[in-house]
Amino acid sequence: MGCCSSTASSQQPVYGHTGERRDSKDADQAVKLVQQIFSQEDNLSNMLDLHISCSNLPNLDKMSKTDPIAVVFMKENGSQEWAEVGRTEMINDNLNPQFVQAIQVKYMFEERQPVKVDVFDVDDPKTLNDLSKQELVGSSEFFIHQIIRAEKQILEVALKNPKRPNCGNLTVWGETLETKESASLVYIDFEGRNFRSGKRLFLKIFRAVDVDSQEMVPVYQSEVASISSTYVYRWKRIKIGASVLIRDDPSRLLGFELYEWVSNGSHKQLG
């Protein structure tokens, strides 16, 4: 573990526009003014985590189901061009995906911030970075303030695509981040016993949207584990930030669900 240090010398004079030396009081006032400006900017913005899910997506695959991924775009700094700000994970064979990966955006209180969410069917995971090689399921455009003003900050909109009439629905929940995220990490180990041989199992972890709520949002999904010769399931150690898992609040309710993986996407919840 190393350490960092910095030193500030007070030997250097501070100059104004005319080159004269200012006293320390004027310098302190200048620093306070800059701090106030940045503080005002911070007070006019907030960070949001966008949690995305879809329902009733059309099935675009012949031999299986749609493999959806959601990509979020915004027009930033006055630009008229859409720029990608984040994307979810891809979920195999699922027409009602509830994505784990949240998209973090900056909400500016006094600005109209357009957002576009494109949902794609991934045809080849090897070309995931090239969206032109994926099939567009549907798209939806809205403004950040529509999420903020929606009941419980949950916005439900229809996905649209001129190539097909019914594209399903998009739900976006905006979670306001009240405090800066900490660097604390949580490690969790799981194992399963006394399951029938041949099952392939995975875990999901959910977090309550707030302290007093029973509504849950997914924050983690494990890999699929197969049973060992000793009839014990073991998953990789989970390493997750405390800010993601519990929003740095030990009283936040957590939920754990166990699923049997099924190749067609209709995974069976076991408990």
Side-chain angles (χ1 to χ4, degrees), residues 189-193 195 203 232-235:
D189 292 309
F190 282 105
E191 70 175 34
R193 297 176 179 271
F195 289 98
L203 296 159
V232 176
Y233 286 84
R234 288 191 176 91
W235 290 270

Side-chain angles (χ1 to χ4, degrees), residues 17-259:
H17 294 293
T18 58
E20 74 275 10
R21 180 170 180 171
R22 293 185 175 182
D23 58 28
S24 59
K25 183 178 180 180
D26 290 338
D28 290 341
Q29 290 177 343
V31 171
K32 288 180 180 179
L33 178 60
V34 172
Q35 290 175 338
Q36 289 175 355
I37 292 173
F38 280 101
S39 177
Q40 290 173 356
E41 291 181 352
D42 289 340
N43 290 335
L44 293 176
S45 67
N46 217 336
M47 299 305 297
L48 281 180
D49 266 357
L50 303 183
H51 300 271
I52 298 173
S53 61
C54 302
S55 59
N56 301 317
L57 296 181
N59 190 9
L60 304 185
D61 293 343
K62 294 181 179 179
M63 303 302 293
S64 59
K65 294 181 180 179
T66 297
D67 305 312
I69 185 173
V71 185
V72 179
F73 301 86
M74 294 184 70
K75 293 180 179 180
E76 298 181 308
N77 301 321
S79 173
Q80 296 303 308
E81 300 294 328
W82 290 110
E84 181 179 336
V85 295
R87 59 178 65 185
T88 67
E89 76 280 11
M90 180 194 76
I91 298 181
N92 290 319
D93 303 318
N94 198 317
L95 304 182
N96 299 283
Q98 191 175 19
F99 298 102
V100 173
Q101 179 63 54
I103 311 301
Q104 191 169 109
V105 300
K106 191 172 187 178
Y107 168 51
M108 307 298 294
F109 298 160
E110 297 182 353
E111 295 183 15
R112 290 171 61 86
Q113 296 173 275
V115 181
K116 181 176 72 164
V117 179
D118 287 346
V119 178
F120 292 91
D121 173 30
V122 178
D123 294 321
D124 183 2
K126 295 180 181 179
T127 61
L128 195 55
N129 290 331
D130 188 353
L131 295 178
S132 66
K133 295 184 178 180
Q134 318 308 327
E135 186 172 3
L136 179 66
V137 177
S139 180
S140 183
E141 297 182 20
F142 49 89
F143 292 93
I144 289 289
H145 71 260
Q146 290 178 263
I147 300 175
I148 300 299
R149 293 177 181 177
E151 184 178 358
K152 297 182 180 180
Q153 295 190 177
I154 299 175
L155 180 68
E156 298 182 11
V157 291
L159 291 167
K160 298 180 180 180
N161 188 334
K163 295 183 179 180
R164 58 180 60 89
N166 299 313
C167 302
N169 300 303
L170 175 76
T171 300
V172 182
W173 169 50
E175 182 182 19
T176 304
L177 306 182
E178 301 291 350
T179 58
K180 293 184 178 180
E181 295 187 358
S182 73
S184 300
L185 293 174
V186 177
Y187 296 86
I188 307 174
D189 292 309
F190 282 105
E191 70 175 34
R193 297 176 179 271
N194 301 321
F195 289 98
R196 287 186 302 168
S197 176
K199 289 184 180 292
R200 303 182 66 190
L201 308 180
F202 66 92
L203 296 159
K204 279 188 175 182
I205 302 177
F206 296 79
R207 161 174 52 82
V209 298
D210 58 49
V211 176
D212 300 321
S213 176
Q214 297 297 315
E215 295 183 56
M216 309 291 279
V217 62
V219 294
Y220 180 84
Q221 179 170 317
S222 76
E223 79 282 6
V224 178
S226 299
I227 196 168
S228 69
S229 58
T230 57
Y231 297 97
V232 176
Y233 286 84
R234 288 191 176 91
W235 290 270
K236 295 178 181 177
R237 167 172 280 194
I238 298 172
K239 177 182 177 182
I240 187 171
S243 296
V244 175
L245 183 65
I246 57 174
R247 285 289 178 241
D248 297 310
D249 181 358
S251 63
R252 190 70 64 97
L253 182 68
L254 293 177
F256 300 85
E257 294 181 356
L258 178 65
Y259 289 84

